[in-house]
Amino acid sequence: MDEVTGAQLIAEALKTQNVEFMFGVVGVPIIEVAMAAQAAGVKYVGMRNEQAACYAASAVGYLTGRPAVCLVVSGPGLIHALGGMANANMNCWPVLVIGGSSDRNQETTGAFQEFPQVEACRLYSKFSARPSSLSAIPSVIEKAVRSSIYGRPGACYVDIPGDMVNARVERNRVREVSCCPPPPVSLAEVSAVTQALNVLKTAKCPLLIIGKGAAYGRAEAGLRELVELSGLPFLPTPMGKGVLPDNHPQCVAAARSRALLQADVVVLLGARLNWMLHFGFPPRFSPNVKVIQVDLCPEEMGNNVRPVAALLGDIRAIVTQLLEILRADQWRYPSDTAWWSTLREKMASNAKISKTLAAQSAVPMNYYTVFHHMARLLPTDCVIVSEGANTMDIGRTMIHNYLPRHRLDAGTFGTMGVGLGFAIAAAMLERDKQTPQRVVCVEGDSAFGFSGMEVETMCRYKLPVIIIVINNNGIYSGLDSDTWREMERAGDMTTLAPPVTLLPDARYEEVMTAFGGGGFLVRTPEELRSALQESLNNTHTPSLINVLIEPSSDRKQQEFPWLTRSNL
Ligand code: ADP
Ligand code: MG
């Protein structure tokens, strides 16, 4: 009699659904699931915390369009993963969380790590279910994988009671389920496309905004043609960076505030009018701005600003529709308009300010100097992972992306602690390629702390990630070590130390050397350049470069304060 265990059924179902990676932290009751997954040819990556495991799995989903699994134990294991599920769902990234849970026969006694897991996951997912029997496992997993990538992508949860893992069933009693095909693709309504182009052609100050939906939807080739054929200025959102290269002559990222404020027609290409785009409201946008939306989620249409045209469907397909008409019409936005002049003028003056800040020779360095030197050494094809407040905001403007899906950051949910998990995911995908690209993880010192122990994971799998910790001794800003010591002498730090502070001059690079990776402590541009060059030359082990910067270093003067009421 041919029997299979629950663990084997899960593993085989994942393999059938083309799931390539499983990230997790094992324990009772799911060790056998990880082992069965390996036996079935799914790569298992053991992480140090479920949150980071879930971040990693979701990044694979974003980068490949097929979900990876995050495997967790019951109770606390699952609860730790909720952060990753929420982040994935907010970002519209597919991920499949599989959680072990307590045995089904302990309703009255109470069980080890008992928790209402299916219910808890509902808030953070599109689909959350427990198979009713072993034979239901393949179809529940197929449904979870399918739900995670069809429609607006997101997180899905499958609950596996401990007693199902090693239970057996005859194979011929299990219904086979084949691999779910990629999501069906739909075009936008023809009348909406015509309406969009009519409005666009009359615009004086048009602007294309390219979001991470365009990156996820792999619309880069069509979008490049659209941009170049139409002559329109474009602005990437943080993770829309690289869909077209940041140094493209029509990229107006360096004049972001002005472009948003003065645009009269905005085309949203896989981007939402949420807080990241200031809701599309004044004073950041013109009160009369006309919005053309391209999105695959109907509920997204009309959020905050009612669009003049709602192009519902797959972005890559819709870009093709737009291109067909543009080609036939031979329409092109002129390059000598007042709009282009104002954008170019603003870009030039902003570039000058950054350049002045970057050229400052003081040590400790400021953010601009650090990023200036980094940007000159980093290969153009590297994957940039970035998080931290100033580190991410300033880094975004100074470190260019040249390829799509090569930037991963705190995203829609503004989550700190995602960096190392994302970097591990990206490095795992690169490892399997013929010419792997480097993964560079640019972290604030606070952001690094959330998942710092994942350095051990990087060392264990010999992933040549370069972590650069921009260390300003705190969250937003910190104290220098003299002031810190004076404060310690004056009294109790729990009442005296500003809540934003962290230990001054902390030796984060030693976390890396503890596990056999390369560690560098740098203070000057020369030290930074040589540490980065050495790390780039080392393609076998990870490195951590701890850059001690001026603890009070800040962003240059901003026209609009960040997220203040007057902003909303
Ligand atoms: P950003 O942070 O770059 O502004 P968001 O995550 O806010 O991006 O928005 C991305 C949007 O893209 C979401 O509304 C999502 O529904 C949409 N989207 C995702 N994939 C596709 C696709 N293939 N075609 C069209 N829209 C997509
Ligand atoms: Mg900091």
Side-chain angles (χ1 to χ4, degrees):
M1 203 165 45
D2 186 13
E3 281 187 337
V4 276
T5 64
Q8 279 171 308
L9 283 172
I10 296 166
E12 287 169 14
L14 292 174
K15 191 68 192 165
T16 303
Q17 297 306 325
N18 277 340
V19 171
E20 216 187 315
F21 281 98
M22 178 182 270
F23 298 83
V25 182
V26 294
V28 175
I30 44 88
I31 299 182
E32 289 87 348
V33 175
M35 289 166 59
Q38 287 181 315
V42 177
K43 294 172 192 141
Y44 177 78
V45 182
M47 306 279 289
R48 302 305 300 265
N49 184 294
E50 293 86 355
Q51 212 178 65
C54 199
Y55 295 145
S58 70
V60 166
Y62 172 61
L63 296 171
T64 67
R66 203 78 193 173
V69 166
C70 169
L71 180 72
V72 300
V73 300
S74 42
L78 186 270
I79 289 172
H80 291 170
L82 293 179
M85 289 177 79
N87 187 71
N89 236 20
M90 294 285 175
N91 272 347
C92 317
W93 290 2
V95 67
L96 170 54
V97 177
I98 297 182
S101 58
S102 26
D103 293 359
R104 283 167 298 177
N105 59 1
Q106 296 179 314
E107 288 86 352
T108 56
T109 54
F112 172 62
Q113 298 183 332
E114 183 177 340
F115 193 69
Q117 300 186 175
V118 173
E119 293 83 343
C121 286
R122 289 227 164 91
L123 270 180
Y124 310 94
S125 66
K126 300 176 68 182
F127 172 73
S128 177
R130 163 190 286 193
S132 56
S133 65
L134 290 190
S135 55
I137 286 175
S139 52
V140 172
I141 289 198
E142 187 273 346
K143 169 135 178 153
V145 167
R146 183 160 42 83
S147 303
S148 77
I149 52 177
Y150 280 35
R152 175 180 263 175
C156 291
Y157 176 67
V158 174
D159 192 72
I160 304 290
D163 58 301
M164 266 196 182
V165 172
N166 292 315
R168 291 172 175 273
V169 63
E170 275 175 51
R171 199 180 270 283
N172 61 19
R173 297 189 42 193
V174 181
R175 192 167 65 91
E176 273 188 42
V177 182
S178 62
C179 181
C180 91
V185 169
S186 63
L187 294 167
E189 233 179 312
V190 173
S191 62
V193 177
T194 318
Q195 163 75 351
L197 286 173
N198 286 344
V199 174
L200 196 56
K201 285 178 188 170
T202 59
K204 288 203 167 56
C205 307
L207 178 67
L208 307 177
I209 298 182
I210 301 180
K212 64 177 172 299
Y216 181 80
R218 292 180 146 62
E220 53 266 18
L223 271 177
R224 181 187 274 264
E225 201 182 337
L226 181 72
V227 163
E228 292 177 358
L229 195 72
S230 69
L232 293 167
F234 77 90
L235 177 74
T237 65
M239 279 196 259
K241 269 163 68 74
V243 171
L244 264 73
D246 281 333
N247 65 348
H248 191 284
Q250 284 160 259
C251 176
V252 296
R256 181 180 187 274
S257 291
R258 179 163 302 186
L260 295 181
L261 181 59
Q262 295 183 7
D264 60 355
V265 175
V266 163
V267 188
L268 289 174
L269 296 148
R272 286 173 278 184
L273 284 182
N274 56 16
W275 64 277
M276 290 174 93
L277 283 172
H278 321 286
F279 312 104
F281 291 171
R284 303 300 304 265
F285 279 77
S286 153
N288 303 317
V289 65
K290 292 186 177 136
V291 171
I292 296 165
Q293 254 180 304
V294 177
D295 206 294
L296 53 56
C297 175
E299 290 89 340
E300 190 56 41
M301 299 300 184
N303 273 341
N304 297 322
V305 178
R306 177 162 306 165
V308 291
L311 280 59
L312 178 67
D314 177 66
I315 182 160
R316 193 160 61 165
I318 293 174
V319 168
T320 313
Q321 284 180 289
L322 291 167
L323 272 171
E324 261 170 37
I325 302 184
L326 278 184
R327 275 195 220 107
D329 291 1
Q330 300 201 334
W331 175 82
R332 190 180 162 83
Y333 181 75
S335 57
D336 56 355
T337 56
W339 179 225
W340 265 121
S341 310
T342 180
L343 291 171
R344 288 204 186 97
E345 175 220 334
K346 190 69 189 170
M347 286 198 282
S349 72
N350 279 346
K352 218 162 124 190
I353 301 173
S354 302
K355 219 170 161 183
T356 313
L357 286 163
Q360 284 176 7
S361 57
V363 171
M365 294 182 274
N366 66 36
Y367 285 103
Y368 294 86
T369 313
V370 173
F371 291 135
H372 168 75
H373 290 284
M374 269 172 56
R376 283 169 59 178
L377 285 180
L378 292 179
T380 51
D381 63 1
C382 69
V383 179
I384 303 281
V385 180
S386 181
E387 59 173 339
N390 284 330
T391 299
M392 187 170 69
D393 288 340
I394 304 172
R396 182 172 57 239
T397 64
M398 299 208 41
I399 301 174
H400 281 183
N401 285 92
Y402 302 91
L403 296 168
R405 295 169 297 283
H406 276 58
R407 180 184 164 88
L408 298 162
D409 68 21
T412 307
F413 208 25
T415 313
M416 296 300 157
V418 292
L420 276 69
F422 285 177
I424 288 168
M428 277 289 168
L429 293 173
E430 289 304 328
R431 196 189 63 150
D432 297 342
K433 291 182 184 162
Q434 207 135 54
T435 46
Q437 298 165 344
R438 294 308 289 270
V439 178
V440 180
C441 190
V442 190
E443 299 273 311
D445 52 334
S446 163
F448 174 72
F450 287 92
S451 306
M453 196 48 72
E454 299 302 339
V455 161
E456 188 274 331
T457 311
M458 291 177 182
C459 287
R460 187 161 17 103
Y461 292 104
K462 297 200 165 42
L463 300 172
V465 173
I466 301 174
I467 302 176
I468 303 176
V469 177
I470 314 291
N471 188 353
N472 68 345
N473 305 344
I475 305 168
Y476 304 120
S477 66
L479 298 176
D480 62 72
S481 53
D482 290 345
T483 314
W484 178 269
R485 273 195 292 272
E486 256 170 57
M487 235 181 233
E488 277 182 329
R489 278 194 292 273
D492 182 354
M493 292 305 263
T494 58
T495 52
L496 288 183
V500 292
T501 52
L502 298 167
L503 186 70
D505 303 345
R507 301 294 298 272
Y508 295 111
E509 78 285 3
E510 292 186 0
V511 179
M512 184 61 91
T513 51
F515 302 111
F520 305 86
L521 179 70
V522 310
R523 287 189 175 83
T524 66
E526 296 69 40
E527 288 168 351
L528 171 62
R529 293 176 67 88
S530 100
L532 184 51
Q533 193 55 61
E534 201 178 315
S535 305
L536 285 167
N537 293 343
N538 177 356
T539 52
H540 300 291
T541 38
S543 314
L544 191 152
I545 306 173
N546 182 10
V547 190
L548 299 183
I549 64 160
E550 171 55 47
S552 59
S553 175
D554 206 351
R555 287 179 83 178
K556 66 183 184 218
Q557 189 73 35
Q558 299 293 303
E559 213 173 321
F560 295 95
W562 190 74
L563 278 189
T564 52
R565 273 316 289 175
S566 71
N567 229 350
L568 303 182

